[in-house]
Amino acid sequence: IHDIAEFYVPSKYSAVQVIYRKAIAFLAARQSDLIVTVSNFSREAIAERFSISKAKIVVTYNGVDHLKLGAGAVEGVSAGVSALQPYVLYFGVVERTKGVEKIVFSVEKLRAQGVDLRVIIAGRQGNASEDLEKIYQSRRDWVAILGHVPDEKLINLISAASAVVFPSEYAG
């Protein structure tokens, strides 16, 4: 069980998805001999929500293949934004619970103080894509929304970033 966001942030899903995800999570938690999840946060939430022993829940963190990471060349990203300039990177689905707009507003405050920093957003569209597009309209000279990028390009973007940021309100 990755997480149980359907219990804490139901607006992330459609009504049908919430019902389905709650039912599947409940059945999985109750009928499994062992549950694997991605963080201690999720472990605590699953144990509390389903009244099961934490001993039944194992945390296995998301991994990264460090051998693939390296300082690869990243070419220009979009009009006004180059990966050769300092930037903050977010990668993942553009959903409301991911807080992507907070990155843009935070960097905007830094830029107002004279910090030369840009934002690059890589990931498939989600329920916050339209909102983000509106925010982006007046910030095209320092924000780039790339959409999905291939793994090789993503690895290079991560390697060249000043920071990789995940300001999620709720995540596994």
Side-chain angles (χ1 to χ4, degrees):
I1 301 174
H2 179 80
D3 65 32
I4 52 173
E6 55 276 3
F7 290 95
Y8 298 98
V9 192
S11 61
K12 183 176 178 175
Y13 307 103
S14 71
V16 171
Q17 287 175 313
V18 169
I19 293 166
Y20 174 79
R21 290 178 60 92
K22 283 182 174 183
I24 293 299
F26 178 80
L27 291 172
R30 291 296 188 172
Q31 294 182 359
S32 297
D33 295 328
L34 184 68
I35 298 168
V36 178
T37 192
V38 296
S39 69
N40 284 314
F41 175 81
S42 286
R43 180 179 185 232
E44 298 288 329
I46 292 164
E48 182 180 324
R49 173 61 62 172
F50 301 116
S51 301
I52 57 175
S53 169
K54 292 177 194 168
K56 184 179 171 178
I57 307 169
V58 175
V59 175
T60 301
Y61 300 104
N62 294 328
V64 155
D65 186 345
H66 296 284
L67 298 176
K68 287 186 178 182
L69 292 178
V74 180
E75 299 171 15
V77 174
S78 72
V81 179
S82 167
L84 301 176
Q85 300 163 315
Y87 65 90
V88 171
L89 174 67
Y90 166 84
F91 64 92
V93 180
V94 180
E95 293 181 336
R96 288 184 186 95
T97 57
K98 301 297 183 181
V100 180
E101 74 287 347
K102 291 178 183 178
I103 300 169
V104 175
F105 295 141
S106 296
V107 169
E108 188 167 52
K109 288 179 182 177
L110 290 171
R111 290 177 61 83
Q113 297 175 14
V115 177
D116 183 27
L117 194 60
R118 281 136 188 84
V119 176
I120 297 177
I121 300 164
R124 69 178 174 83
Q125 292 188 350
N127 62 20
S129 294
E130 287 182 24
D131 298 337
L132 186 61
E133 186 63 34
K134 290 174 188 169
I135 293 168
Y136 166 73
Q137 290 303 318
S138 62
R139 297 165 178 87
R140 289 177 185 258
D141 58 328
W142 56 272
V143 176
I145 301 174
L146 306 182
H148 174 77
V149 296
D151 287 350
E152 186 175 292
K153 184 173 182 179
L154 180 59
I155 289 167
N156 292 339
L157 287 168
I158 293 168
S159 296
S162 299
V164 178
V165 184
F166 300 102
S168 293
E169 295 171 25
Y170 185 95

